[in-house]
Amino acid sequence: MTDSALAPWVIAPVILPAMAAALILLVMRHRLTLSRVASLGVCAALLVMGVVLTGHAATGAVESYALGDWSAPFGIVLVLDRLSAMMLLLTAVVAMGVMIYAIATGLDRKGWHFHPLFQFQLLGLNGAFLTGDLFNLFVFFEVLLIASYGLMLHGQGAARLKAGVQYVIVNLAGSTLFLVAVGMLYGVTGTLNMADMALRVAAAPEGDQALIKAASLLLIAVFALKAALVPLHFWLPRTYASTSGAVAALFAIMTKVGAYSIIRVTTLIFGDDAQASAWAPADWMLPAALITIALGFFGVLAAKGLRDLAAFAVVGSMGTLLSAVAVFQPDAMSAALYYTVHSTLAAAALFLIVDLIAVRRGEYGDAVNVGPRFQDVEKLSGLFFLAAIAMVGLPPLSGFIGKLLILDGVRDAPGGYWIWAIILITTVIGILGFARAGSQIFWKSASVDGDCHAGQVHGGAAAMGAAAGFLILLAAATVLAGPLAAYTTATAEQLFQPDAYIGIIEPSPPPRQP
């Protein structure tokens, strides 16, 4: 554990949702009001912690917490640096908005386990962003899988069950490959601590290089599955489109766990010093990311429902993010991190707005077709317009700045012209897709007589306020683009100079060679 007074607080974002989940499950499960108060309290506390920890990490300090006071590399450590702090804060922001929306719309009334599952999901997310140990990254991935499966099915429905089975099977296969990759790396290096593994990979003999490279490629492939990178993307559209709007909005941060893991493991373990495994995923990751962008935005253009449109927009945004990551250069990485913040907030806003529209359209639901007017159509048309320009990356919101930063960051990179071409072309395709959906649902529907009979709509002002809140944050990310970009630039520099992260451990002796 580092000597800083803030070091013990590194574990707080993990322990707080874990304790809250157990307390709600055992004591408050049938007391909805208490469960709501507890969940909102935890989300608020995590938000405050995220602000404090991010402010501390902005100084460049790297803090660690050794569980059980067993120091690394022998014990399990949680590590806070600029990247993990940023992701903690982003998770807390999304969680707060989604929780307000879920309570306002009564989604949490549809089952007794929504709030415990929500807290377990936060436990998995925060743990994945903080852990400094590969095996515990696997453990937190499994916590995510179990909690997200329960949340996805919350509210029931045949479509959700079918998509849920596919989601679980795909992710269980990914978990199996994760264990295989971790086992291979442990067999060669004799450690699971990521900082210690970085030292051992750099010092590994030539005879171990092929096995290390094979393990690194397998490990990155697992993370690519979590990040929905082509050809491992197929689970995401159906999963996100089939679940409730609030859960899909929370899942907007879940795909970022895959991107985070690619960034963390590659820059720390498989960077310049990794010999044959240096930047192992670079050769195939950029083409895959470019195809992901194209597939995502063509899916937006072809979508027959708003939920499908939002899900494919997430696929396209993940491709955009990973195309910048795949360059593995500081400027492009900084742009990717800025775009990570933007795309997460934009996706969360879009899913909530789509859900508000679908509920109010009654039997027409989220179908992209002409129908009668519906309640709050004027307000929702404005929110949908803002969410659309955010997702495709048009001014004045932060997506425009994010894409400009990416294009500037990859300008001199190998294959940069392909990134320019694909991003610019798919932006136009995305505009057409969102314009088609908006014109059908809002413009052409204005001339249709009658009104949709959606019945009683709950939580109008609060739910709409939660969705609008994400758009306000996007506007803030535009106004504060300078400070935010400065933070992501410093984060990228820290990632490509990992000495401070590696310095949290006392190097252990390398494994004996037979």
Side-chain angles (χ1 to χ4, degrees), residues 83-164:
L83 178 58
S84 56
M86 184 187 83
M87 299 306 295
L88 286 176
L89 179 57
L90 185 59
T91 301
V93 169
V94 173
M96 177 59 81
V98 171
M99 180 55 66
I100 292 172
Y101 183 90
I103 293 173
T105 57
L107 175 65
D108 60 339
R109 292 180 178 272
K110 297 181 179 180
W112 293 112
H113 299 101
F114 177 83
H115 290 285
L117 288 170
F118 194 94
Q119 297 302 323
F120 279 124
Q121 182 83 350
L122 295 182
L123 163 63
L125 287 167
N126 292 342
F129 293 138
L130 283 171
T131 185
D133 182 278
L134 265 184
F135 182 76
N136 282 278
L137 182 60
F138 165 79
V139 171
F140 286 120
F141 269 32
E142 294 310 292
V143 173
L144 278 175
L145 172 62
I146 296 169
S148 61
Y149 180 61
L151 287 172
M152 182 195 168
L153 296 181
H154 185 80
Q156 303 178 349
R160 291 182 189 178
L161 181 60
K162 184 177 180 180

Side-chain angles (χ1 to χ4, degrees), residues 44 95 103 140-141 176 212 216 222 248 258 291 325 403 451 467 482 488 490:
I103 293 173
F140 286 120
F141 269 32
T176 302
I212 291 174
S216 70
V222 172
I291 296 172
V325 171
K403 285 193 173 181
D451 291 297
T488 60

Side-chain angles (χ1 to χ4, degrees), residues 310-371:
F312 276 106
V314 170
V315 174
S317 69
M318 286 304 300
T320 304
L321 190 163
L322 292 172
S323 68
V325 171
V327 173
F328 292 112
Q329 294 179 1
D331 289 344
M333 188 66 74
S334 172
L337 296 177
Y338 181 96
Y339 190 80
T340 296
V341 175
H342 160 79
S343 60
T344 303
L345 297 176
L350 181 60
F351 277 116
L352 296 187
I353 293 166
V354 164
D355 190 58
L356 289 169
I357 294 169
V359 169
R360 284 158 175 75
R361 292 188 80 207
E363 62 183 8
Y364 290 88
D366 74 321
V368 180
N369 56 21
V370 179

Side-chain angles (χ1 to χ4, degrees), residues 224-465:
L225 171 67
K226 307 291 183 181
L229 189 67
V230 166
L232 304 171
H233 69 287
F234 52 86
W235 61 272
L236 189 148
R238 176 178 289 184
T239 300
Y240 283 36
S242 298
T243 191
S244 63
V247 172
L250 181 64
F251 284 4
I253 189 68
M254 197 167 65
T255 49
K256 303 306 186 294
V257 177
Y260 166 88
S261 300
I262 292 173
I263 294 169
R264 175 67 74 196
V265 169
T266 305
T267 56
L268 179 61
I269 302 175
F270 304 115
D272 285 330
D273 297 331
Q275 303 185 67
S277 302
W279 311 113
D283 292 338
W284 58 267
M285 190 170 158
L286 179 57
L290 295 178
I291 296 172
T292 304
I293 302 173
L295 188 145
F297 283 106
F298 274 111
V300 168
L301 183 62
K304 296 181 179 180
L306 289 178
R307 290 190 173 95
D308 290 325
L309 178 146
F312 276 106
V314 170
V315 174
S317 69
M318 286 304 300
T320 304
L321 190 163
L322 292 172
S323 68
V325 171
V327 173
F328 292 112
Q329 294 179 1
D331 289 344
M333 188 66 74
S334 172
L337 296 177
Y338 181 96
Y339 190 80
T340 296
V341 175
H342 160 79
S343 60
T344 303
L345 297 176
L350 181 60
F351 277 116
L352 296 187
I353 293 166
V354 164
D355 190 58
L356 289 169
I357 294 169
V359 169
R360 284 158 175 75
R361 292 188 80 207
E363 62 183 8
Y364 290 88
D366 74 321
V368 180
N369 56 21
V370 179
R373 288 172 58 84
F374 52 91
Q375 182 181 339
D376 300 318
V377 62
E378 293 84 2
K379 296 176 183 177
L380 288 172
S381 63
L383 292 177
F384 181 80
F385 173 74
L386 292 173
I389 66 174
M391 285 303 298
V392 298
L394 293 180
L397 296 181
S398 52
F400 179 69
I401 297 175
K403 285 193 173 181
L404 280 182
L405 290 173
I406 290 175
L407 295 177
D408 183 61
V410 303
R411 182 176 50 191
D412 299 323
Y417 54 90
W418 282 110
I419 301 176
W420 272 69
I422 296 296
I423 287 181
L424 293 176
I425 292 171
T426 53
T427 297
V428 175
I429 294 171
I431 293 170
L432 294 175
F434 277 98
R436 166 181 163 271
S439 65
Q440 291 282 333
I441 293 173
F442 300 109
W443 181 35
K444 293 182 180 180
S445 295
S447 60
V448 177
D449 295 331
D451 291 297
C452 291
H453 301 288
Q456 186 178 5
V457 177
H458 298 283
M464 208 170 296

